Amino acid sequence: MDDRVELSLHIPEPFARPGETPTFDHVDIPAAGATRRPAVDAAEVDMRDLPYGMVRVLDADGRAVGPWASQMDPEFLRRGLRAMVQTRVFEDRMFRAHRQGKTSFFMKSTGEEAIGVAQSMTLAADDMCFPTYRVQGWLIARGYPIVDMINQIYSNASDPLKGRQLPILYSAREYGFYSLSGNVGSRFGHAVGWAMASAYMKDHRIALGYIGEGTTAEGDFHEALTFAAVYRAPVILAVTNNQWAISTFSGIAGAEQTTFAARAIGYGLPGLRVDGNDFLAVVAATEWAATRARTNLGATLIEFVTYRVSGHSTSDDPTKYRPSDEPVHWPLGDPVERLKQHLIALGEWSDERHEQMQAELTEAVRTAQREADAVGALGQSKPSAREMFEGVFKEPDWRVIEQRREFGI
Amino acid sequence: MDDRVELSLHIPEPFARPGETPTFDHVDIPAAGATRRPAVDAAEVDMRDLPYGMVRVLDADGRAVGPWASQMDPEFLRRGLRAMVQTRVFEDRMFRAHRQGKTSFFMKSTGEEAIGVAQSMTLAADDMCFPTYRVQGWLIARGYPIVDMINQIYSNASDPLKGRQLPILYSAREYGFYSLSGNVGSRFGHAVGWAMASAYMKDHRIALGYIGEGTTAEGDFHEALTFAAVYRAPVILAVTNNQWAISTFSGIAGAEQTTFAARAIGYGLPGLRVDGNDFLAVVAATEWAATRARTNLGATLIEFVTYRVSGHSTSDDPTKYRPSDEPVHWPLGDPVERLKQHLIALGEWSDERHEQMQAELTEAVRTAQREADAVGALGQSKPSAREMFEGVFKEPDWRVIEQRREFGI
Amino acid sequence: MAQMNMIQALNSALDAVLADDPKTLIFGEDVGYFGGVFRVTDGLQAKHGLTRCFDAPISEGGIIATAIGMGAYGLRPVVEIQFADYILPAFDQLVSEAARLRYRSNGEFWAPITVRSPYGGGIFGGQTHSQSPEAIFAHITGLKTVIPSNPYDAKGLLIASILEDDPVIFLEPKRLYNGPFDGHHDRKLRTWAGHASAEVPEGLYTVPLGKAAIVREGADVTLLAYGTMVHVGLAAIEESGIDAELIDLRSIVPLDIDAITASVTKTGRCVILHEASRFGGFGGELSALVQERCFYCLKNPIERVAGWDTPYPHAFEWDYFPGPARVIAALRRTMEA
Amino acid sequence: MAQMNMIQALNSALDAVLADDPKTLIFGEDVGYFGGVFRVTDGLQAKHGLTRCFDAPISEGGIIATAIGMGAYGLRPVVEIQFADYILPAFDQLVSEAARLRYRSNGEFWAPITVRSPYGGGIFGGQTHSQSPEAIFAHITGLKTVIPSNPYDAKGLLIASILEDDPVIFLEPKRLYNGPFDGHHDRKLRTWAGHASAEVPEGLYTVPLGKAAIVREGADVTLLAYGTMVHVGLAAIEESGIDAELIDLRSIVPLDIDAITASVTKTGRCVILHEASRFGGFGGELSALVQERCFYCLKNPIERVAGWDTPYPHAFEWDYFPGPARVIAALRRTMEA
Ligand SMILES: Cc1ncc(C[n+]2csc(CCOP(=O)(O)OP(=O)(O)O)c2C)c(N)n1
Ligand SMILES: Cc1ncc(C[n+]2csc(CCOP(=O)(O)OP(=O)(O)O)c2C)c(N)n1
Ligand SMILES: [Mg+2]
Ligand SMILES: [Mg+2]
């Protein structure tokens, strides 16, 4: 008789599917202020606990507490709030624009706005971020013209990318925003290379790479971390863990076993796990990592714990694979509400001012959209078809020249 | 004035280059017996110290000590010693065969024989290893005919792989030895898939994947670990850290920052760091990991700390990039000597028996080589050129049929 | 016999093989509970069980690598790569491992894997949801590449691919999932309903790899196409009034060279049509083969109609896409030249 | 002017650009202290400094990815992939990123990287140290692919490639490193010594990309080749006694289409020669182009001589390698047919 254990294949499954009761009990959330803040030059061995804690500053009452809290200029916070609200208003509008057939595609970052916005405001103007499609807030926080975002989304005659790219795959060099692409993960190593170049040139600039928690499974993730660790690249590597990758929960990327911040330990790098819905925590963690980078202490991996409130994109219906009320169960709240509450607690903000701002920003987006509509939405206006043949190489070769002729322009 | 720190690019450098004095002070080596042995089903959080210790059983006097030591059959140990010596004798002879022009290429595992041999003897006959080119000992320990190895190395008419593969890139399904290839790293994930298949079929068999420390930098490494962790695959993932990757020291793969075993922590897997030159430690660690795999506890990452005594391959001259006396400074000694000393200390072996065995094994290799020589060395004998056209697909298609005709056979 | 669109036909194929062979399993990004972003695996997990059809990490290299390992063990994995554009991170696994395993191990190991992937344009997917990478697979010795053009073939070819002991890249023209698209993007959408090839039997049946289909017989010029382009080619022939013979290659490796040479020998003219960029595309190989084998029958130069040598441009999809107008022009040129 | 073999010429090119432009740097597996497994970067680290030429982790994807990031910053990285067979793990980076960055960002970012890699067979390297992957690069819009055949060109083309603002795959025929190999593997090894093209100037000079070289003028048939095959082709022409015109393409993207059509227009016959497997190889594209542009001048079918459609087989290297005998046979066929 065979008394050996029968092997069985484990397939991770989320805690709740449509029709079931959502729970986030599996997400370990220490209290605000509970996780310590080591010196930026602490020894690696003394930072191995960080990936299992969580950098949180705002407590349930909207007070800034604990070692990661610092005196912050209320004006800075108000600007952050403004950019987050602006992002949300803008995205809601564009989502509707998709329904109206004005664009082929759109994606929202609802619930995750603090990450792109706070990091955009914390890093220097000449630093470079290597974005995912879920940090439109970076551009908005830096004042990138919303009308240009819409023109890109419309692929119209004023599209800064000349109709060559899918909507929201922006590129904005002057705003520290590297060219996006549809492939996930493949720019993570570019951030490391860019940072290595800055170090090679004895420059001061640092890089920030973004990746979704689902995408950490790509080889690119590991290769970027390896190079970052080996060459002590001045880079911040940010995992935005919004719990979902299209229909796939984070357990399929490894979340059943450990945190994404813990990946850092394997490379001898510090790994911060951060409340991604806490604007102040995002700022504090980013500052800490940026100081490390700027002082030749090398790379930091940051996991931002957040939640994808909307569907993956306009092509997605999340109620097909998760309970429709899952978003309201998310324990880290809404980044906009939390920062608003903090500012109000500080006496630096009010519901009235908030409503007024919201109205203003809605109007601003409306104006921008009107301007873009005037140029034309998808199908109504597009750049000259010559643009299709430009930019394959720096100088066109005979193939595109002949083909352009064959095409008739 | 700019008081910012000037960034600088860090390029890791080894501790000694040719002409300098070798040192291995940077390799952290706890005493034999010092590293604890948790229960195989210990919680992940309670195993995070393991990658920073080192599983060692044999002490300086050749005694088996500490929690990883166990009662072992002296006959088993003698078989291990025999296979290691056989491997060494065989490789020395093939290295000379290359000098004599009998083969185009060869690689040695000198100093690392304990790993392949001990694991081959510890795992079950129907388990499957996914080898690197540096575990020829696996085959020898399982009694794979040496003459067939030589025939493969000679690419002669009796080559089991029909002249299609570079020397030493064996395939030996019946011996639990998966098809090797020249690309490094690309079979690491196959081990995980094979193990997943075994679990899917409710089988009992487990897989063992090998990878060099240099090759851990490939995306394949990360992808394999991710899948192994997510699906709790019954697999042992072994990093053979022999300090060098051709001319590149382990610091370029990340060894300045942490251990390779520590990579495991990032996936929530146990990571053992093991004295790879200690036959008993290799057995003990392998048994521990195999028990985990066989009881649905999932994967284990093992870093075997060892040293590549020879050059990378017959194409390499290591004195070009490391001190010529570096091998004698290696602190973990020689696996053959250490096991021999242990057996002698047990009263189960003697210098005389060792010499006699050595002579016997030398003769055995000589006999095998004579047999292979009789078939013919490289250039003197080869399989029918028809073999070139076979096996592209299960059934040949018109292209190879036509081309074989064009070729004239 | 049921009416199925291509998605349903593919789903039916997978359902049938899962039911038939416990060694078949499916995995890939979002294919489990959700059933895939194009719904091809819809319902399979619920019906056949969690381990038969499950989600994979976003790691195309890891997906193919583990599939090869499973294949070596003795399973028959069918994996989905969400878009063919995303096969590239797994290219090394396909070329260096899947395609070479049998040869290098002298038949000890092989990789009986099927890699399904939606490919091609026409859905406003932009650069990285529209590409047609078949040429880079066709060049790799040891890989087979299959491209169906209708529901009946899709099911039969997919089952045949899964039953193959060699690795198969199975490219699904995503623009054909819901209807036979002929390139007239400005006309009303058509569905598969009522189309003869949408009559799809339940259960197992195969369409053999390496057998082209003559979609339309004709005397004057041979039009070679596969995938979406079969429908574009047919529309172009009808509109042009030229008596062209339309061949749907169905698989490009193995390639039905006999069907090709027989047709060109008869017509003496040849137009090759594909969506991928022209330069270095599979059309070059087809042109070379036709030229080598039918040189003395050729009345006029072989024409290639293909995507331009640019990346796939979002706003210019219909300028890039080789639609009926360009095919007609090529047919005319080859008749007149 | 010094006599250099191809390794020395490439080393001299790198030395010159490192000296000339501080934004140029080199990295790759074993290229630092050791100077590369083929010694192409020998001495460069000692001369130019640790950060100018350094070792990389064994991670071709990581090497190309970081190089692209450096290029986006404003550097001009030159990376070595140890064997062209090992470019495949970085294929996605090359295709989805390097090749597309300029286009998709409307010129905001680009990847001025040069990827050097020894390629091709003839050194008993077996399956994964012998392959010729140029066809899969040629199909990718946005990549340039350069292949020198002698020391002078190697240096000039490498410098030109590094100065390019577009990504360049620079394939070095490893069998030519030490001498002009003509395919007669059983004859005495020749070195570059005394060869005209081994006269290599010190310092910076360029050979432009996209300009083929007419290695030998001839009236009767055009032989198209690149890399090692140029020498094989030349030997075959001499031995056959056929008055063939031999064109060394030097770069396949950009391709010197004018040189090709001019020659075939003159000769009316064409043989295409490459080491890579035939099916789907770059010869298909060349054949298609010649046929499209010179149809009415062609007296006989275009011939392709190439590696067989099998993996690269270790023991059968000389059975697989398209040596002079097969080229001569093709030349004869095209003359007689
Ligand atoms: C290389 C590649 N594989 C697959 C996809 C398809 N895809 C697009 S987004 C996505 C999910 C990404 O999830 P995550 O990384 O968690 O980011 P999130 O969308 O949650 O922000 C997938 C699988 C892709 N775009 N690129
Ligand atoms: C994908 C790939 N990249 C590069 C190489 C060239 N190469 C062969 S062995 C080797 C070094 C491997 O070092 P390591 O992993 O430490 O193994 P070791 O040789 O020390 O056992 C390299 C770079 C290869 N064979 N495959
Ligand atoms: Mg996510
Ligand atoms: Mg090593």
Side-chain angles (χ1 to χ4, degrees):
Chain A
M1 231 202 69
D2 196 339
D3 60 355
R4 292 177 296 180
V5 179
E6 192 171 83
L7 290 175
S8 73
L9 185 62
H10 172 71
I11 311 289
E13 285 205 276
F15 295 84
R17 288 294 190 187
E20 298 174 348
T21 308
T23 162
F24 285 103
D25 291 351
H26 54 283
V27 182
D28 193 26
I29 304 177
T35 293
R36 69 196 186 85
R37 181 183 191 281
V40 291
D41 61 353
E44 187 268 330
V45 51
D46 295 327
M47 298 197 285
R48 289 186 198 143
D49 55 326
L50 294 175
Y52 308 102
M54 192 184 284
V55 175
R56 306 187 65 205
V57 173
L58 290 174
D59 71 8
D61 303 321
R63 277 176 320 207
V65 300
W68 294 86
S70 67
Q71 198 54 48
M72 294 188 91
D73 179 0
E75 188 46 36
F76 177 86
L77 297 177
R78 274 191 298 263
R79 281 204 292 122
L81 185 67
R82 189 178 178 88
M84 289 199 287
V85 172
Q86 175 93 77
T87 303
R88 192 168 292 182
V89 167
F90 164 72
E91 292 184 349
D92 286 345
R93 192 138 201 109
M94 287 300 102
F95 203 83
R96 280 204 300 280
H98 174 262
R99 291 246 180 79
Q100 297 160 349
K102 292 184 175 182
T103 174
S104 56
F105 183 76
F106 192 69
M107 298 179 93
K108 293 170 79 174
S109 63
T110 312
E112 307 176 42
E113 297 93 340
I115 300 163
V117 167
Q119 297 205 285
S120 180
M121 291 175 62
T122 305
L123 294 188
D126 57 357
D127 292 334
M128 183 69 72
C129 99
F130 293 73
T132 61
Y133 44 69
R134 244 181 263 288
V135 291
Q136 310 194 60
W138 174 287
L139 286 174
I140 288 176
R142 292 194 170 202
Y144 185 85
I146 289 192
V147 60
D148 286 340
M149 295 174 83
I150 305 178
N151 287 331
Q152 198 280 327
I153 292 163
Y154 284 180
S155 292
N156 69 16
S158 298
D159 172 4
L161 302 186
K162 306 292 181 199
R164 299 199 192 123
Q165 260 300 30
L166 201 66
I168 85 164
L169 300 183
Y170 315 107
S171 176
R173 186 170 193 136
E174 294 304 308
Y175 295 79
F177 192 95
Y178 186 68
S179 160
L180 259 165
S181 167
N183 306 52
V184 297
S186 49
R187 273 92 42 218
F188 210 51
H190 300 195
V192 177
W194 196 95
M196 287 173 69
S198 180
Y200 170 88
M201 291 300 286
K202 304 185 189 306
D203 194 353
H204 304 281
R205 294 186 279 164
I206 67 172
L208 164 64
Y210 284 106
I211 200 165
E213 96 292 340
T215 308
T216 61
E218 293 280 6
D220 305 88
F221 174 77
H222 170 64
E223 300 183 334
L225 276 152
T226 300
F227 279 69
V230 167
Y231 301 111
R232 292 191 204 144
V235 64
I236 304 172
L237 296 169
V239 176
T240 56
N241 176 4
N242 63 4
Q243 315 303 319
W244 289 96
I246 309 185
S247 76
T248 304
F249 88 118
S250 56
I252 295 286
E256 279 188 351
Q257 280 72 33
T258 192
T259 71
F260 293 97
R263 295 277 193 279
I265 298 175
Y267 305 91
L269 293 175
L272 298 178
R273 186 159 169 266
V274 176
D275 180 344
N277 289 12
D278 174 344
F279 185 89
L280 277 70
V282 177
V283 171
T286 306
E287 271 174 353
W288 190 84
T291 304
R292 282 180 45 81
R294 287 196 214 283
T295 53
N296 282 316
L297 291 166
T300 304
L301 181 71
I302 307 181
E303 173 187 355
F304 291 110
V305 181
T306 184
Y307 182 77
R308 196 196 74 204
V309 172
S310 306
H312 173 70
S313 72
T314 45
S315 316
D316 183 44
D317 172 6
T319 64
K320 288 252 173 67
Y321 51 79
R322 69 184 191 191
S324 55
D325 59 341
E326 197 184 86
V328 300
H329 285 77
W330 175 243
L332 291 175
D334 173 41
V336 171
E337 281 310 308
R338 286 174 69 193
L339 182 54
K340 175 183 159 200
Q341 183 196 19
H342 175 59
L343 275 166
I344 292 175
L346 288 178
E348 295 282 352
W349 197 242
S350 68
D351 281 324
E352 298 69 47
R353 286 176 75 177
H354 196 84
E355 259 164 49
Q356 191 192 325
M357 178 181 79
Q358 182 108 22
E360 233 174 69
L361 294 174
T362 306
E363 191 44 43
V365 170
R366 219 178 258 148
T367 306
Q369 191 181 21
R370 264 196 299 268
E371 207 181 313
D373 281 349
V375 181
L378 180 74
Q380 301 169 337
S381 156
K382 65 178 185 178
S384 155
R386 290 186 78 94
E387 292 296 344
M388 173 170 64
F389 295 106
E390 297 290 322
V392 180
F393 293 115
K394 191 174 181 192
E395 309 294 344
D397 76 1
W398 58 267
R399 297 175 297 170
V400 286
I401 292 170
E402 283 189 10
Q403 290 174 12
R404 197 173 62 198
R405 210 175 297 139
E406 189 182 335
F407 180 72
I409 52 168
Chain B
M1 234 202 63
D2 195 339
D3 61 355
R4 292 177 294 178
V5 179
E6 192 172 82
L7 290 174
S8 72
L9 184 61
H10 171 71
I11 312 289
E13 285 206 274
F15 295 85
R17 286 295 191 187
E20 297 174 349
T21 308
T23 162
F24 285 103
D25 291 351
H26 55 281
V27 182
D28 194 25
I29 304 177
T35 294
R36 71 197 185 85
R37 182 182 191 281
V40 291
D41 61 352
E44 187 269 329
V45 51
D46 295 326
M47 298 199 284
R48 290 185 198 144
D49 55 326
L50 295 175
Y52 307 103
M54 192 185 283
V55 175
R56 305 187 66 205
V57 173
L58 291 174
D59 72 7
D61 304 321
R63 278 176 319 210
V65 299
W68 294 86
S70 67
Q71 198 56 47
M72 294 187 91
D73 179 1
E75 187 47 38
F76 178 86
L77 297 178
R78 274 191 298 264
R79 281 205 293 122
L81 185 67
R82 189 178 178 88
M84 287 200 285
V85 171
Q86 176 93 77
T87 303
R88 193 168 291 182
V89 166
F90 164 72
E91 292 184 349
D92 286 345
R93 191 139 200 109
M94 288 299 102
F95 203 82
R96 280 204 300 280
H98 174 260
R99 291 246 179 79
Q100 297 159 349
K102 291 184 175 180
T103 174
S104 56
F105 182 76
F106 192 70
M107 299 178 92
K108 295 170 78 175
S109 64
T110 313
E112 307 176 41
E113 297 92 340
I115 301 164
V117 167
Q119 298 205 283
S120 180
M121 292 174 61
T122 305
L123 294 189
D126 56 357
D127 292 334
M128 183 68 72
C129 100
F130 293 73
T132 62
Y133 44 69
R134 245 183 260 291
V135 291
Q136 310 194 59
W138 175 287
L139 286 174
I140 288 176
R142 293 195 171 202
Y144 186 85
I146 289 194
V147 60
D148 285 340
M149 295 174 83
I150 304 179
N151 287 332
Q152 197 279 327
I153 291 163
Y154 284 180
S155 291
N156 68 17
S158 298
D159 173 4
L161 302 186
K162 306 292 181 200
R164 298 198 193 126
Q165 259 299 29
L166 199 66
I168 84 165
L169 299 183
Y170 316 106
S171 176
R173 185 169 195 138
E174 292 306 308
Y175 295 79
F177 192 94
Y178 187 68
S179 161
L180 260 165
S181 167
N183 305 51
V184 297
S186 47
R187 272 93 41 219
F188 210 52
H190 301 194
V192 177
W194 197 95
M196 287 172 68
S198 180
Y200 170 89
M201 291 300 288
K202 305 185 189 302
D203 193 354
H204 304 282
R205 294 185 281 164
I206 67 172
L208 164 64
Y210 284 106
I211 199 165
E213 95 293 340
T215 308
T216 60
E218 293 281 6
D220 305 88
F221 174 77
H222 170 64
E223 300 182 334
L225 277 153
T226 300
F227 279 69
V230 167
Y231 301 112
R232 290 189 205 147
V235 65
I236 304 173
L237 296 169
V239 177
T240 57
N241 175 5
N242 62 3
Q243 315 302 319
W244 289 96
I246 310 186
S247 77
T248 303
F249 87 118
S250 57
I252 295 287
E256 280 189 351
Q257 281 73 34
T258 192
T259 71
F260 293 97
R263 295 276 193 279
I265 298 175
Y267 304 91
L269 293 175
L272 298 178
R273 187 162 168 264
V274 176
D275 180 345
N277 289 12
D278 175 343
F279 185 89
L280 277 70
V282 178
V283 171
T286 306
E287 271 173 355
W288 189 85
T291 304
R292 282 180 45 81
R294 287 196 215 282
T295 53
N296 282 316
L297 292 165
T300 305
L301 181 71
I302 307 182
E303 173 187 357
F304 291 110
V305 181
T306 184
Y307 183 77
R308 195 197 75 203
V309 172
S310 306
H312 173 70
S313 73
T314 46
S315 316
D316 182 43
D317 172 7
T319 65
K320 287 251 173 68
Y321 50 79
R322 70 185 190 189
S324 55
D325 60 342
E326 197 184 86
V328 300
H329 285 77
W330 175 244
L332 292 175
D334 173 41
V336 170
E337 281 310 310
R338 285 173 70 192
L339 182 54
K340 175 183 159 199
Q341 185 197 15
H342 175 58
L343 274 166
I344 292 175
L346 289 179
E348 294 283 353
W349 196 241
S350 69
D351 281 324
E352 298 70 50
R353 287 176 74 178
H354 196 83
E355 258 163 50
Q356 192 194 323
M357 177 182 80
Q358 182 110 22
E360 231 176 69
L361 295 173
T362 306
E363 192 43 44
V365 170
R366 221 178 257 145
T367 306
Q369 192 181 19
R370 263 195 300 267
E371 207 181 312
D373 281 349
V375 181
L378 181 74
Q380 302 168 337
S381 156
K382 65 178 187 180
S384 156
R386 290 186 77 93
E387 291 296 345
M388 173 170 65
F389 296 106
E390 297 290 323
V392 179
F393 293 115
K394 191 173 182 193
E395 308 294 344
D397 76 3
W398 58 268
R399 296 174 299 166
V400 287
I401 293 169
E402 284 190 7
Q403 291 174 13
R404 196 173 66 197
R405 211 176 296 141
E406 188 182 336
F407 179 73
I409 51 170
Chain C
M1 207 77 135
Q3 277 272 338
M4 297 189 196
N5 65 23
M6 199 186 279
I7 292 170
Q8 292 161 331
L10 292 163
N11 183 277
S12 168
L14 295 170
D15 184 32
V17 291
L18 284 180
D20 182 61
D21 179 5
K23 295 207 160 141
T24 303
L25 81 173
I26 297 168
F27 62 109
E29 296 158 21
D30 300 297
V31 305
Y33 183 91
F34 181 56
V37 296
F38 289 103
R39 328 290 310 124
V40 173
T41 57
D42 193 28
L44 298 178
Q45 182 181 84
K47 180 165 174 193
H48 297 279
L50 195 58
T51 64
R52 305 293 308 281
C53 179
F54 57 86
D55 289 336
I58 303 175
S59 173
E60 292 76 14
I63 290 169
I64 306 289
T66 48
I68 295 169
M70 290 176 187
Y73 177 95
L75 305 186
R76 249 178 223 293
V78 183
V79 300
E80 175 176 311
I81 300 295
Q82 205 161 80
F83 287 87
D85 317 73
Y86 306 141
I87 293 183
L88 301 184
F91 196 59
D92 184 53
Q93 280 298 325
L94 290 170
V95 178
S96 303
E97 297 294 336
R100 304 291 155 76
L101 190 53
R102 176 190 297 281
Y103 190 83
R104 74 177 192 229
S105 72
N106 190 27
E108 279 202 329
F109 298 95
W110 61 93
I113 68 173
T114 304
V115 180
R116 291 183 39 245
S117 197
Y119 95 112
I123 60 148
F124 263 116
Q127 285 188 33
T128 61
H129 303 92
S130 306
Q131 295 170 89
S132 298
E134 69 277 8
I136 62 174
F137 301 123
H139 184 43
I140 304 304
T141 50
L143 287 184
K144 297 187 172 174
T145 301
V146 177
I147 306 176
S149 71
N150 63 63
Y152 180 89
D153 282 3
K155 178 170 176 183
L157 288 167
L158 179 54
I159 294 172
S161 298
I162 295 170
L163 297 180
E164 277 282 318
D165 282 336
D166 294 311
V168 178
I169 312 290
F170 190 89
L171 297 174
E172 302 168 3
K174 64 176 93 70
R175 180 64 211 228
L176 298 185
Y177 274 152
N178 293 305
F181 178 67
D182 65 8
H184 286 295
H185 57 93
D186 40 5
R187 299 197 187 153
K188 205 168 147 290
L189 283 180
R190 285 161 58 203
T191 67
W192 284 108
H195 203 276
S197 69
E199 291 295 325
V200 176
E202 306 285 342
L204 288 171
Y205 70 92
T206 60
V207 171
L209 310 192
K211 287 298 294 173
I214 299 180
V215 177
R216 179 193 189 283
E217 291 198 22
D220 291 343
V221 48
T222 301
L223 181 56
L224 302 177
Y226 44 90
T228 309
M229 291 300 125
V230 171
H231 304 274
V232 174
L234 194 59
I237 291 170
E238 282 164 9
E239 291 164 36
S240 70
I242 292 170
D243 187 21
E245 179 145 300
L246 174 60
I247 297 188
D248 175 357
L249 296 177
R250 293 206 285 207
S251 63
I252 61 172
V253 178
L255 181 70
D256 191 346
I257 188 71
D258 295 336
I260 295 170
T261 50
S263 178
V264 180
T265 303
K266 176 175 79 175
T267 62
R269 296 184 177 90
C270 183
V271 174
I272 296 161
L273 177 54
H274 61 62
E275 230 186 300
S277 288
R278 175 152 50 187
F279 197 82
F282 190 64
E285 180 60 36
L286 288 173
S287 173
L289 286 169
V290 167
Q291 190 274 153
E292 281 155 12
R293 285 155 198 258
C294 308
F295 184 81
Y296 299 102
C297 321
L298 280 178
K299 298 174 189 145
N300 276 321
I302 303 161
E303 293 269 344
R304 289 186 288 168
V305 182
W308 307 121
D309 289 315
T310 72
Y312 208 104
H314 181 255
F316 310 107
E317 176 133 48
W318 304 121
D319 303 314
Y320 177 91
F321 191 92
R326 280 167 61 197
V327 182
I328 292 170
L331 289 169
R332 296 237 161 93
R333 273 197 306 276
T334 197
M335 290 306 295
E336 289 158 19
Chain D
M1 206 78 133
Q3 277 272 338
M4 295 188 197
N5 65 24
M6 199 185 280
I7 292 170
Q8 293 161 331
L10 292 163
N11 183 277
S12 168
L14 295 170
D15 184 33
V17 291
L18 284 180
D20 183 62
D21 178 5
K23 295 207 161 144
T24 304
L25 82 171
I26 297 168
F27 62 110
E29 295 159 21
D30 300 297
V31 304
Y33 182 91
F34 181 56
V37 296
F38 289 103
R39 329 291 308 127
V40 173
T41 58
D42 193 27
L44 297 178
Q45 182 181 83
K47 180 167 173 189
H48 296 280
L50 194 58
T51 62
R52 304 295 306 283
C53 179
F54 56 86
D55 290 336
I58 303 174
S59 171
E60 293 75 17
I63 290 169
I64 305 289
T66 49
I68 295 169
M70 290 177 187
Y73 177 94
L75 305 186
R76 247 177 224 294
V78 184
V79 300
E80 176 176 310
I81 300 295
Q82 204 161 82
F83 287 87
D85 315 73
Y86 307 142
I87 293 183
L88 300 184
F91 196 60
D92 184 53
Q93 281 296 326
L94 289 170
V95 177
S96 304
E97 296 294 338
R100 304 290 156 75
L101 189 52
R102 178 190 297 282
Y103 190 83
R104 76 179 191 225
S105 72
N106 189 26
E108 279 201 328
F109 297 95
W110 60 94
I113 67 171
T114 304
V115 180
R116 291 183 38 245
S117 197
Y119 95 112
I123 61 149
F124 263 117
Q127 284 188 35
T128 62
H129 302 93
S130 307
Q131 294 170 92
S132 298
E134 70 276 9
I136 61 175
F137 301 123
H139 184 45
I140 304 304
T141 50
L143 286 185
K144 296 187 172 175
T145 300
V146 178
I147 305 177
S149 70
N150 62 64
Y152 180 90
D153 281 4
K155 179 170 175 181
L157 287 167
L158 180 54
I159 295 173
S161 298
I162 296 169
L163 297 179
E164 277 282 318
D165 283 337
D166 294 310
V168 178
I169 312 291
F170 190 88
L171 297 174
E172 303 170 3
K174 63 175 92 73
R175 179 64 210 228
L176 297 184
Y177 273 152
N178 294 304
F181 178 68
D182 65 7
H184 288 296
H185 58 93
D186 39 5
R187 298 194 188 156
K188 206 168 146 290
L189 284 181
R190 285 160 60 203
T191 67
W192 284 107
H195 202 277
S197 70
E199 292 293 327
V200 177
E202 307 284 344
L204 289 171
Y205 70 92
T206 59
V207 171
L209 310 191
K211 286 298 293 172
I214 300 182
V215 177
R216 180 194 188 283
E217 293 199 21
D220 290 344
V221 48
T222 299
L223 181 56
L224 301 178
Y226 46 89
T228 309
M229 291 299 124
V230 172
H231 303 275
V232 174
L234 194 59
I237 292 170
E238 282 163 9
E239 291 162 36
S240 70
I242 292 170
D243 187 22
E245 179 145 300
L246 174 59
I247 297 187
D248 175 358
L249 296 176
R250 295 206 284 209
S251 62
I252 61 172
V253 178
L255 181 70
D256 191 346
I257 188 71
D258 295 335
I260 296 170
T261 49
S263 179
V264 180
T265 303
K266 179 176 78 176
T267 62
R269 296 183 176 90
C270 182
V271 174
I272 296 161
L273 176 54
H274 62 60
E275 230 186 299
S277 288
R278 175 151 49 187
F279 196 83
F282 190 63
E285 179 61 35
L286 288 173
S287 174
L289 287 169
V290 167
Q291 189 274 152
E292 279 154 13
R293 283 153 202 259
C294 308
F295 183 82
Y296 299 103
C297 321
L298 280 176
K299 299 172 189 146
N300 276 321
I302 304 162
E303 293 269 345
R304 289 186 289 168
V305 181
W308 307 122
D309 288 316
T310 73
Y312 208 104
H314 180 255
F316 311 105
E317 176 135 48
W318 303 121
D319 303 315
Y320 177 91
F321 191 92
R326 279 167 61 197
V327 182
I328 292 169
L331 288 169
R332 296 236 161 95
R333 273 197 306 274
T334 197
M335 290 305 296
E336 289 158 20

